[in-house]
Amino acid sequence: MTRINTNVSSLVAQNRLQSSNNDLQQSLTRLSTGLRINTGSDDPAGLLASEALRGEITGLTKSISNTQRASQIISTADSALGQVSNLLNDVRGLVVEAANSGALSKEEIAANQLQIDSSLEAINRIAQTTTFQGRKLLDGSQDFVSTASGVGSISDISIDQANLGKTGKIDVEVVISAAAEQAEVTAADSGFTTAAQASATAAENFGTATQTINGEDIDIIGQGLEDIVIVDDKFATGPGVAEFDADTGTLTITGNFTGDSANTGPPAEVDADASATTIQTAIDNIDGFTASGATAAGTPAAATAAAVTADQTGLTVTATAEGSEYNNVTIQFASGAATAADYDSEQKILTVTLEEGAEISAADLETLINGATVDGEAPAEAAFSASALADSEFNGSTAIDSVSTGNTGGEVLNADLVFQLSGSGGAETFNFGAGTSKDQIAAAVNLVSDSTGVTADATSALSFSSSDYGSEALVDVDVISEGAGGTFKGSLDNTRATGADIVATVNGVEANGSGNGLSINTSSLDLNLTVDDGSSTNFSFSITGGGATFQLGPDVTSTQQASLGIGSVSTGQLGGASGRLYELGSGQAKSLTNDVEGAAKVIDEVIGKVVGLRGRLGSFQSTTLESNLVSLNETKANLQEAESSIRDADFAQESANLTRAQILVQSGTNVLSLANQNPRNVLSLLG
């Protein structure tokens, strides 16, 4: 059908040409921008996916930048901590050198102290001046804030990482199900002689005799009395004479006991009262002698020497408590202005002072010793009790030999003993003879406890305990030899023992125990804390803020952040159970002149703390930051690839599409031209 008003062919050609032009325009746009999706109409779903991926890529790009910045901060802190470590090692060398006091002069030790003071000042300066873009790193401002300092059972704590979340707070509850234990080996009492009350007897040579004078019996008690000699002097006048020879132990009584010069009757010159009472008086006047029994005066009568029972117990002093504490106590007597008794517990000497020239009765002497002071102070309970020969008397002018309680208190070895004691610090061999007490063994072991790591206690049974707590604590007793009849080896409850680590949970998570220390490392909390030795007390505290927070992921959520605690390295904060670093300064408790051993312990603990901090920061940098950086870069590359596959143009395909569209446009243009010529064909019909 031939039409003029409606050129259907032209309309069809126009539509196709328009479509071809659109295709050409789309190909030109994609090739010029490199993107397959330039407007939402190009691919609505693809545009949504692409924009979501672009957002993630942007977040990842910033996360990579954040991680790199965090790594730079850690590197800065580690560099400063390296200098602190160098200074601490220098200080340690100076401390060890100063311990050689036998070879160093006071001036050299003082010079070492000046160097230590300078090092401490340098450490404080580093703590205050280590900054990153104006932010201090080592002054404690990057550490976590907690209420742990108010918990009495915590001796040390380090909060390495904490995720405070939206609440900005973490409550920490520690439940201890088993306390840390020391290694311990005990020697039962059966390893030693039986405990008893130590005692000693002084002035044992008290002689006793009954002498008949004028028909009356005089009871005589005297220090050193061994014999009585009667001298009948017919020319004697007066009340009679009594003399004592301390060298021979002889008491000589002289008088006219027959009555006259011709031995036939009483002479006129002999006093009528030269009787038993006068002889008693003469004997009483001898130091250390007492006589009793005479009742009245009378005419002297014949007297004969009496038999003497010598070596009677004079004064026995006994400790009020059983055990070796009072073994080898020396009891000495002295003359002084007044009677007194005092026990020097350190030197183990009981000094009994008797008044010069004055006699003291047995009862009074007992009372004196029973009330003896201890180190000059009245004790809560009497340390000694005394008993003396009845009716005996003691005189401050008469020498009384010192005596010793020896091993009468018991609790001593009953045979020679050699054993090796080993601990976590080393081993030492001990050689003790029979008669050595538990206290002496304990003292010898404690003397070298710093080199063995083992201490001893003899309060009850003798026990050997490790200085440290935990599974690494060790006590090993190897009996090398023991004399015949010895029971020490058989009394040991064990020859080798180890300690036990603390068992606890932190917020329901079982903690790793090591001695008195415990630690956990979870996604929300990483901490190390140490409790008091052997503590089993549960406790809780809160972490309320602080820490250095690093954004390590593309999303601002707590799970994609890491909070790291960086404690202060100032001398006032660095330290542990042995003390703080500042105490090594001049005039402080652990300066080189005050306590060089304490200084060595402090510096070792501080070096361990700084090395631990460097290790923790290094671990965070290498495992967390560097691994996170690798992961972020890989994720970013994958997301960029995914975004590219959705949005980027395929140039090969678009080039082909462009060529096709160009050809179709040219072809459509020609076809449209031909279609527009169709109405002209009507003229041929009219002509």
Side-chain angles (χ1 to χ4, degrees):
M1 180 180 291
T2 301
R3 302 182 181 90
I4 294 176
N5 291 329
T6 302
N7 189 345
V8 176
S9 298
S10 177
L11 293 175
V12 172
Q14 289 178 45
N15 290 335
R16 299 305 304 167
L17 180 60
Q18 180 64 37
S19 177
S20 296
N21 279 326
N22 290 339
D23 291 341
L24 177 62
Q25 183 63 38
Q26 186 181 59
S27 296
L28 289 172
T29 301
R30 289 177 175 176
L31 289 172
S32 62
T33 62
L35 299 175
R36 185 181 69 84
I37 302 174
N38 290 282
T39 63
S41 61
D42 291 339
D43 185 354
L47 179 64
L48 292 174
S50 174
E51 288 299 328
L53 289 172
R54 280 190 173 185
E56 292 184 20
I57 292 170
T58 300
L60 287 170
T61 301
K62 288 302 180 182
S63 297
I64 292 171
S65 175
N66 289 341
T67 302
Q68 291 172 335
R69 177 69 63 86
S71 182
Q72 293 163 359
I73 292 174
I74 298 302
S75 295
T76 302
D78 182 70
S79 177
L81 288 172
Q83 293 302 314
V84 173
S85 292
N86 292 336
L87 290 168
L88 291 174
N89 283 322
D90 291 342
V91 171
R92 190 181 191 281
L94 293 170
V95 170
V96 172
E97 183 180 35
N100 190 27
S101 58
L104 268 65
S105 66
K106 292 182 178 179
E107 290 75 16
E108 289 174 302
I109 294 176
N112 283 4
Q113 183 64 62
L114 288 176
Q115 287 184 260
I116 290 176
D117 293 342
S118 297
S119 295
L120 297 183
E121 292 175 4
I123 291 172
N124 283 330
R125 185 167 55 253
I126 291 173
Q128 293 299 321
T129 59
T130 302
T131 60
F132 188 91
Q133 289 188 331
R135 191 169 190 177
K136 294 182 179 181
L137 302 179
L138 301 178
D139 67 340
S141 59
Q142 304 302 316
D143 202 1
F144 287 100
V145 178
S146 73
T147 60
S149 59
V151 180
S153 57
I154 298 178
S155 61
D156 191 24
I157 184 171
S158 173
I159 304 171
D160 301 336
Q161 178 266 333
N163 188 344
L164 303 182
K166 290 184 177 181
T167 61
K169 177 183 177 182
I170 295 179
D171 293 324
V172 181
E173 182 181 14
V174 178
V175 178
I176 301 175
S177 55
E181 297 178 356
Q182 298 168 287
E184 184 174 357
V185 173
T186 300
D189 290 339
S190 59
F192 302 85
T193 58
T194 303
Q197 291 174 273
S199 65
T201 300
E204 288 184 305
N205 58 340
F206 264 80
T208 62
T210 300
Q211 177 65 51
T212 301
I213 301 292
N214 194 26
E216 295 189 60
D217 293 334
I218 302 175
D219 295 326
I220 303 171
I221 299 175
Q223 298 176 34
L225 177 62
E226 296 183 10
D227 190 18
I228 294 179
V229 174
I230 300 296
V231 178
D232 188 359
D233 185 355
K234 62 182 178 180
F235 300 108
T237 61
V241 177
E243 293 180 327
F244 177 68
D245 187 340
D247 293 331
T248 62
T250 301
L251 174 66
T252 301
I253 302 174
T254 302
N256 186 343
F257 297 108
T258 55
D260 64 7
S261 58
N263 292 328
T264 59
E269 66 270 29
V270 176
D271 293 341
D273 63 352
S275 62
T277 56
T278 59
I279 296 298
Q280 175 177 310
T281 300
I283 295 174
D284 282 338
N285 288 332
I286 300 174
D287 291 340
F289 273 69
T290 181
S292 61
T295 59
T299 303
T304 58
V308 176
T309 303
D311 298 328
Q312 297 296 306
T313 299
L315 172 68
T316 300
V317 179
T318 305
T320 55
E322 292 185 349
S324 60
E325 179 182 358
Y326 293 102
N327 280 349
N328 300 308
V329 171
T330 298
I331 303 170
Q332 64 181 19
F333 297 84
S335 298
T339 58
D342 181 72
Y343 177 58
D344 185 336
S345 61
E346 182 176 351
Q347 299 298 324
K348 301 183 75 171
I349 297 175
L350 172 62
T351 301
V352 180
T353 303
L354 302 180
E355 183 179 351
E356 178 73 29
E359 291 186 344
I360 182 171
S361 67
D364 289 342
L365 183 59
E366 291 173 3
T367 302
L368 174 67
I369 295 175
N370 292 348
T373 57
V374 177
D375 299 325
E377 301 290 337
E381 296 181 359
F384 297 93
S385 63
S387 62
L389 182 66
D391 297 329
S392 59
E393 291 186 355
F394 300 82
N395 192 290
S397 301
T398 303
I400 303 176
D401 293 336
S402 298
V403 292
S404 172
T405 59
N407 291 325
T408 56
E411 294 185 321
V412 297
L413 292 174
N414 44 29
D416 294 345
L417 174 67
V418 180
F419 66 88
Q420 177 177 283
L421 181 64
S422 303
S424 57
E428 188 74 27
T429 299
F430 297 92
N431 190 337
F432 300 107
T436 304
S437 70
K438 294 191 298 183
D439 290 331
Q440 291 171 326
I441 295 176
V445 170
N446 292 333
L447 191 64
V448 293
S449 61
D450 57 338
S451 61
T452 61
V454 179
T455 60
D457 180 74
T459 303
S460 54
L462 177 64
S463 62
F464 304 100
S465 302
S466 61
S467 301
D468 298 329
Y469 287 72
S471 56
E472 294 184 0
L474 168 70
V475 174
D476 185 285
V477 181
D478 179 16
V479 177
I480 299 172
S481 67
E482 187 171 15
T487 58
F488 179 82
K489 183 176 182 179
S491 71
L492 296 175
D493 64 348
N494 195 0
T495 58
R496 183 182 179 88
T498 56
D501 296 321
I502 189 172
V503 179
T505 60
V506 179
N507 288 350
V509 178
E510 185 172 352
N512 296 319
S514 177
N516 288 301
L518 54 91
S519 64
I520 64 166
N521 189 350
T522 65
S523 59
S524 60
L525 182 62
D526 181 2
L527 67 79
N528 296 270
L529 61 85
T530 303
V531 300
D532 295 337
D533 290 346
S535 175
S536 59
T537 303
N538 300 334
F539 57 88
S540 60
F541 61 93
S542 298
I543 303 172
T544 57
T549 302
F550 301 104
Q551 176 66 40
L552 304 180
D555 298 325
V556 184
T557 62
S558 59
T559 57
Q560 296 191 21
Q561 295 174 341
S563 294
L564 185 68
I566 305 176
S568 171
V569 296
S570 67
T571 58
Q573 295 297 321
L574 282 177
S578 298
R580 301 283 181 175
L581 184 58
Y582 78 90
E583 295 182 75
L584 274 66
S586 294
Q588 298 296 329
K590 294 180 175 60
S591 65
L592 297 183
T593 55
N594 289 335
D595 186 5
V596 68
E597 292 182 3
K601 292 180 180 179
V602 170
I603 194 65
D604 285 342
E605 287 186 355
V606 169
I607 288 175
K609 282 288 186 70
V610 173
V611 170
L613 177 57
R614 292 189 68 189
R616 181 162 56 85
L617 294 179
S619 176
F620 179 75
Q621 185 176 26
S622 63
T623 59
T624 301
L625 298 182
E626 292 182 4
S627 63
N628 184 64
L629 190 61
V630 172
S631 175
L632 291 175
N633 281 322
E634 290 180 351
T635 302
K636 179 181 177 181
N638 292 331
L639 292 180
Q640 286 176 325
E641 181 182 1
E643 195 267 344
S644 175
S645 66
I646 296 173
R647 197 157 191 169
D648 288 351
D650 185 342
F651 269 70
Q653 180 180 347
E654 294 304 330
S655 296
N657 291 340
L658 176 64
T659 301
R660 174 178 175 277
Q662 287 176 329
I663 294 173
L664 288 175
V665 168
Q666 292 175 1
S667 174
T669 302
N670 291 333
V671 170
L672 179 59
S673 176
L674 293 174
N676 288 336
Q677 291 178 2
N678 283 340
R680 296 178 184 176
N681 293 333
V682 176
L683 295 175
S684 63
L685 295 175
L686 296 176

